[in-house]
Amino acid sequence: MLNYIGHRLLQLIPLLIAISIIIFVIIQLPPGNYLTTYIQQLELSGTAVNQSEVLNLQHQYGLDQPVYVQYFIWMKNILFHWDFGNSFQWQEPVTKVIGDRIGLTMLIAIFSLIFTWVIAIPIGIYSAVRQYSIFDYIFTFIGYIGLAVPNFLIALVIVFYVFDHTGLAISGLFAPEYVGQPWSWGKIVSMLERIWVPVVIVGTAGTAGLIRTTRAMLLDELGKQYVITARAKGVAEKKLLFKYPIRLAINPLVSTIGWTLPALISGSAIVEIVLNLPTTGPVLLNALMNQDMYLAGSFLLILSVLTVIGTLISDILLAWIDPRIRFGGMEE
Amino acid sequence: MISDEQTILEVKDLKIHFKLHEGLLKAVDGVDLSLRKKETLGIVGESGSGKSVTTQSILRIIPQTAHLEGEIILRSEETGKNINLATLPMNGKEIRKIRGGEISMIFQEPMKAFSPVHTIGNQMMETVLLHRTKDKNEAKEIVLQSLREVGMSNPEQRFDEYPHQLSGGMRQRAMIAMALASNPAILIADEPTTALDVTLQAQVLELMNNLKEKTGTSIIFITHDLGVIAEMSDNVAVMYLGQVMEYTDVDTLFHGAKHPYTLALLKSMPSVGAAENKRLEAIEGNVPTPINLPKGCRFFSRCKLAQDGVCNVQDIPLVKIEDGHYVRCVLVDEKNRGGR
Ligand SMILES: Nc1ncnc2c1ncn2[C@@H]1O[C@H](COP(=O)(O)OP(=O)(O)O)[C@@H](O)[C@H]1O
Ligand SMILES: [Mg+2]
C-alpha cells in the first residue's frame, strides 16, 4: 500500500510541471497582455500615455522578458517564496486576493460533495433494489428535473423564496456586519447559516446524475454470480445486499471524487455570481476577461493542483477498498 | 420414478415459467427427479435445456418474477421430516437454513462466483458461521480443515487471500471447500468444471468423487458433457427444453439408451476408446427458446426420426420401459409395446 502511494506521488511531479506550463502558455495565448488592455483603457479615458512610461511599466511587470523567463520567475517565486505574483487589476499579491476565496470555494465544494453522496446513494440503492417500483419512477422523474433545470435558476428561486417568506437576503456567505471582518466565532456561525444555500444548489445538480449512476451500477452488480453464491449460502437478503453488491457498486464511484471536485468548483461559478458569494468563480471570470495573467494563472494552477490531489486521494481510497487494485490488478 | 426410504430429494412435476414481453417462457415444464442417499444424479443436456433453472429452483434462488409450480420434497436429515421447498416463502428463514446448510451449491465460474473484494476466508467463514457454529475460532478451524481436505497447500495463507490471487483450479477447489464446509446432505454442482482446462477438470472431478466417498454426500451434477457424466454419475437425467427426455442408470445410458435425443448426444460425443475414425455428428440446429412451443415432442424440430402426425399431435409422457429406465418418446414406446 505504501509502495503504491509512493509510486503515485512520484508520478505526480511530471504531471504538475506539465500542467503549470500548459496553464502559463494558455494565459499568454490571447493577443496583447494586461498592459495593452490597460493602455487602451487610459487612452479611451483621454489620458495620454508616453512611450517611456509604457516601457517603464513593461519592465516593472517583467513583460519585456521572453516568455520562458517569465515562466521560470513565476515558478521560482511560487516554490521558494509562496509568491504567486501580483494581480495587475487589484494591485495586490495574488495570495491576498484569492486566499480566503479558495478556502471558501473548497468548503462549498466539499460540503456539496457530501450532500450529493448522502442524498444520492441511498436513493440510487433504493431505486435499484426496488426497480420499477413507484418510488423508483418518482425519483427518476425528480432526478431528470434536477438534471434539466440550470443551477443558477434554482439559486434565484431559493433566494427569492427565502426573501419573500422571511425578509432575509441570503445572498452572500456572511451577514453584512461580518463582511470584510477578520474570522470570529460569530462569523463562522453566520457562514454556516448561509452556506447551505449554495451547497444545496450546487449539490442538487450532481445528485440527479449520481442517483442514475448508483442505480445503474447496482443493477449491474445485482445480477452477478457472486450475489447468487451468497444467496445460495443462506445469507439474509439485507445483509447480502450491503456486504456484496452495494459495496462493489460504490467502489467505482469513489474514483469519481477526483474529477467531481473541479467540476463542482467551475460549475458553481454562475451560482456564485448569482448568490454574490466571495468565492473564486466571479474573480476567475473577471481575471480572465481582463488578462490579469498572474491572477488567472495562479487560480488555474491552484485548482488544477487541487484536482490532481483529489484524484490522488480517490485513487488511494479505491486501492484501499478494492484489493484487485491494491495488488496490481488481475493476474489472468 | 422410484421413491423409497433412501430417497432424500424428490422433484415432482416442477414447472418454472417466466413471463416475458415475447410470451410465456417455459424454462422448466414438468420435471420429475429423485435423488437417493449417497447417489450422484447427473443432469445432461445442451445449453438452454433448463438444467440450471431446475436446480436453482430447488434452493429457490431463481428470480422472484418466475412462476413456480410443483413439489420439491426434501427429506430433512436434521429433523427427519419432509419439507416441500416449493412452498417455503422466498428468502425466508426456513429456506435460508437449507441453502448452504443441508443443500450446498457450486457454480460454473469460480472467478465470478466469489466476491472479488472479500477474502476466501471471509466468504467461507460466512457459511460456517451461518450453519455450523457461532464460535469464530471454531469456524476458522472448520474452514482451514475444509481447505486442507480439498488439497489446498498452505490453507492459513489462502485464508487471507483474495480470489484473484488463486489460480482457476485453486478457486474451484476453494468453492468446493466452501460448499462442503457446512456438511451438506446434498451438493448441487452446476457445470463445475466447464470453465477449467482438461487436466484441471480431471483433478476436480476426482476430488469430488473422493470427497463423496468420504462424506456420503448426495450430488446432483450438471454438465453438457457426457464424458463427465460417465465419470461422475450413478443415474442420469437427459434434459431438453425444460423436460426430462430420458432417465436411467449410467450403464444403460451408454449401452442401451432409447431416446433419439440421447442417441444424438452420444453420437456427438468424442470417445477416447474408439480407435476407428468414427464421424462425430453434431445435432443439427440450435436449442430453440421455449416460448410458444408447438404441441407434441419438444425435440420434434430437430429429430431425424420425427414423424409428422405422430410426434407432434399430443404432449408426450415420460414412460417407464424397464425398472429404472424412463423415456419420453412415442416411437420408442410403440416399438417396445410392439414386442421388439
Ligand atoms: N431469469 C430468467 N428470465 C427469463 N428466462 C430465463 C431466465 N433464466 C433462464 N431463462 C431461460 O430458461 C431456459 C433454460 O435456461 P437454463 O436453465 O440456464 O439452461 P441450462 O442451464 O440447461 O443451459 C433458457 O431458455 C433461458 O433463456
Ligand atoms: Mg446452465
Side-chain angles (χ1 to χ4, degrees), chain B residues 18 20 25-28 45-54 63 65 190-191 222 288-290:
Chain B
F18 295 96
L20 304 181
L25 187 148
K26 300 183 174 179
V28 175
E46 287 164 287
S47 158
S49 317
K51 308 183 294 291
S52 296
V53 172
T54 302
T65 49
D190 191 348
E191 312 224 16
I222 301 174
T289 312

Side-chain angles (χ1 to χ4, degrees), chain A residues 168 174-182 184 186-187 190 193-194:
Chain A
L168 199 69
F174 311 103
E177 62 265 33
Y178 291 112
V179 174
Q181 300 296 315
S184 64
K187 186 168 178 176
S190 162
E193 270 171 6
R194 286 154 184 260

Side-chain angles (χ1 to χ4, degrees), chain A residues 10 18 38 50 67 90 106 113 146-147 167 177 205 292 295 297 315 320:
Chain A
L10 278 183
Y38 180 64
N50 71 37
V67 172
W90 301 64
M106 285 304 293
L113 194 68
L147 274 181
E177 62 265 33
D292 193 345
L295 183 56
D315 280 359
W320 181 50

Side-chain angles (χ1 to χ4, degrees), chain B residues 40-252:
Chain B
T40 299
L41 171 66
I43 302 182
V44 67
E46 287 164 287
S47 158
S49 317
K51 308 183 294 291
S52 296
V53 172
T54 302
T55 46
Q56 287 178 9
S57 70
I58 294 173
L59 282 185
R60 304 288 306 283
I61 53 175
I62 44 169
Q64 250 151 342
T65 49
H67 172 80
L68 184 149
E69 231 177 79
E71 286 176 60
I72 303 165
I73 312 287
L74 172 71
R75 189 160 300 159
S76 171
E77 290 201 323
E78 270 171 42
T79 57
K81 280 194 209 132
N82 286 351
I83 312 173
N84 185 357
L85 303 182
T87 56
L88 292 183
M90 188 101 174
N91 298 332
K93 222 177 172 163
E94 294 116 310
I95 188 73
R96 277 194 278 120
K97 252 195 96 180
I98 290 162
R99 287 179 189 161
E102 280 191 80
I103 308 178
S104 283
M105 196 151 182
I106 55 182
F107 298 96
Q108 182 168 345
E109 289 188 59
M111 186 65 217
K112 293 184 181 158
F114 277 116
S115 154
V117 299
H118 296 90
T119 59
I120 299 287
N122 176 320
Q123 298 183 60
M124 290 184 68
M125 288 284 279
E126 193 172 37
T127 314
V128 175
L129 287 172
L130 277 168
H131 300 290
R132 289 279 296 270
T133 169
K134 293 271 168 271
D135 181 300
K136 286 215 166 129
N137 293 328
E138 196 187 339
K140 183 161 182 184
E141 261 323 299
I142 294 175
V143 168
L144 291 176
Q145 179 56 30
S146 184
L147 284 172
R148 243 170 254 133
E149 267 164 24
V150 297
M152 292 271 247
S153 54
N154 245 338
E156 282 86 1
Q157 187 192 331
R158 300 291 184 220
F159 188 91
D160 290 319
E161 283 184 345
Y162 292 91
H164 73 268
Q165 292 173 287
L166 303 184
S167 68
M170 280 300 151
R171 273 196 289 265
Q172 196 55 296
R173 279 171 197 261
M175 194 80 214
I176 295 171
M178 180 158 85
L180 294 181
S182 58
N183 259 342
I186 301 172
L187 175 69
I188 298 175
D190 191 348
E191 312 224 16
T193 55
T194 306
L196 302 178
D197 68 46
V198 185
T199 358
L200 287 178
Q201 183 168 337
Q203 285 173 15
V204 170
L205 293 180
E206 193 189 320
L207 171 72
M208 288 186 70
N209 272 336
N210 289 343
L211 289 173
K212 184 192 148 191
E213 287 301 312
K214 227 178 1 191
T215 57
T217 310
S218 311
I219 299 180
I220 298 180
F221 196 101
I222 301 174
T223 177
H224 59 254
D225 183 344
L226 278 170
V228 174
I229 285 287
E231 252 172 83
M232 300 300 294
S233 338
D234 301 312
N235 284 312
V236 183
V238 181
M239 276 190 76
Y240 185 72
L241 276 188
Q243 290 184 337
V244 174
M245 290 293 165
E246 184 156 11
Y247 179 94
T248 177
D249 63 86
V250 71
D251 285 338
T252 314

Side-chain angles (χ1 to χ4, degrees), chain A residues 10-274:
Chain A
L10 278 183
Q11 283 179 336
L12 285 189
I13 294 170
L15 182 66
L16 288 174
I17 293 176
I19 288 177
S20 67
I21 294 176
I22 291 170
I23 288 175
F24 202 78
V25 169
I26 287 176
I27 57 176
Q28 294 279 0
L29 269 187
N33 53 36
Y34 177 71
L35 263 193
T36 47
T37 321
Y38 180 64
I39 291 164
Q40 213 176 1
Q41 275 173 2
L42 285 183
E43 277 170 352
L44 277 180
S45 63
T47 320
V49 191
N50 71 37
Q51 202 53 35
S52 68
E53 204 175 324
V54 170
L55 285 177
N56 204 358
L57 280 172
Q58 270 191 341
H59 187 70
Q60 186 191 331
Y61 288 126
L63 295 174
D64 51 351
Q65 310 260 19
V67 172
Y68 67 89
V69 176
Q70 290 183 38
Y71 170 77
F72 281 118
I73 294 174
W74 188 49
M75 275 288 119
K76 191 190 85 193
N77 285 337
I78 290 176
L79 291 177
F80 295 108
H81 309 291
W82 198 243
D83 172 9
F84 287 78
N86 283 337
S87 160
F88 299 139
Q89 240 182 314
W90 301 64
Q91 298 289 341
E92 270 184 352
V94 167
T95 38
K96 196 157 172 219
V97 179
I98 57 175
D100 270 0
R101 285 171 184 263
I102 294 256
L104 288 174
T105 303
M106 285 304 293
L107 200 64
I108 291 182
I110 290 170
F111 277 172
S112 303
L113 194 68
I114 295 172
F115 174 86
T116 310
W117 276 57
V118 167
I119 302 282
I121 290 191
I123 294 181
I125 290 173
Y126 185 90
S127 290
V129 175
R130 298 259 179 282
Q131 194 190 7
Y132 303 135
S133 68
I134 180 88
F135 282 106
D136 182 24
Y137 284 119
I138 291 175
F139 287 134
T140 303
F141 182 69
I142 296 177
Y144 279 131
I145 292 181
L147 274 181
V149 179
N151 276 352
F152 71 89
L153 199 62
I154 303 179
L156 281 174
V157 169
I158 292 187
V159 171
F160 175 76
Y161 184 84
V162 173
F163 182 75
D164 202 38
H165 279 252
T166 65
L168 199 69
I170 52 163
S171 70
L173 263 189
F174 311 103
E177 62 265 33
Y178 291 112
V179 174
Q181 300 296 315
W183 284 99
S184 64
W185 187 241
K187 186 168 178 176
I188 292 175
V189 172
S190 162
M191 181 191 76
L192 289 180
E193 270 171 6
R194 286 154 184 260
I195 203 171
W196 66 268
V197 182
V199 164
V200 168
I201 294 162
V202 176
T204 317
T207 306
L210 190 59
I211 290 176
R212 303 309 299 164
T213 317
T214 310
R215 181 179 180 273
M217 296 259 191
L218 185 52
L219 280 177
D220 208 35
E221 295 297 329
L222 282 177
K224 293 222 170 133
Q225 182 64 51
Y226 67 86
V227 179
I228 300 176
T229 308
R231 196 170 285 136
K233 291 197 296 190
V235 185
E237 213 49 20
K238 259 222 188 76
K239 172 148 189 258
L240 177 158
L241 215 59
F242 280 94
K243 181 171 176 187
Y244 298 107
I246 290 182
R247 161 92 194 268
L248 273 127
I250 288 178
N251 273 8
L253 298 182
V254 169
S255 64
T256 64
I257 294 178
W259 45 264
T260 317
L261 273 182
L264 282 175
I265 290 169
S266 57
S268 52
I270 295 179
V271 174
E272 286 158 2
I273 292 169
V274 168

